[in-house]
Amino acid sequence: MSNPITLTASSNWSADKRMQLHAVFNAWISSCSEEEYLHLMSLREQVAPGQVCSIVTLVRSYFERPSLPMPESLVQLMQARNLQPAFAGASSFAG
């Protein structure tokens, strides 16, 4: 079994970690519900009101503030792919 990759809020993630996160996001976005997508857009608006915001920025913000309403299905997929936040196990928005 491989060791989990623990992502942090650090702004200097490796290209590999960013690529892995984008792969997880792409898998999630292709199967998420409209409600889950709207919850993610709500989070984006909280993190970067009126601005363009990458999924990496959203996830970094979520790792910094786990109280942000990240869709639970996205958090679960990140955990299943061993892209776990430093606070793994903390609850998030169950959308």
Side-chain angles (χ1 to χ4, degrees):
M1 178 185 287
S2 64
N3 292 330
I5 299 170
T6 302
L7 299 177
T8 65
S10 172
S11 62
N12 60 355
W13 288 0
S14 70
D16 185 50
K17 285 183 182 179
R18 290 190 311 270
M19 287 179 12
Q20 289 175 17
L21 179 58
H22 279 282
V24 166
F25 176 73
N26 289 337
W28 177 82
I29 199 75
S30 68
S31 64
C32 72
S33 70
E34 182 72 16
E35 182 180 354
E36 291 170 320
Y37 174 78
L38 292 174
H39 286 139
L40 187 67
M41 292 303 98
S42 174
L43 172 62
R44 187 208 55 77
E45 191 59 29
Q46 290 177 47
V47 170
Q51 300 175 26
V52 173
C53 179
S54 74
I55 188 61
V56 173
T57 299
L58 287 177
V59 170
R60 283 180 187 155
S61 297
Y62 172 66
F63 288 177
E64 289 172 355
R65 297 182 299 168
S67 62
L68 290 172
M70 180 71 72
E72 184 66 28
S73 59
L74 180 54
V75 172
Q76 290 173 348
L77 186 55
M78 287 189 302
Q79 291 173 343
R81 302 277 177 91
N82 290 326
L83 294 171
Q84 299 177 358
F87 58 87
S91 63
S92 64
F93 184 84

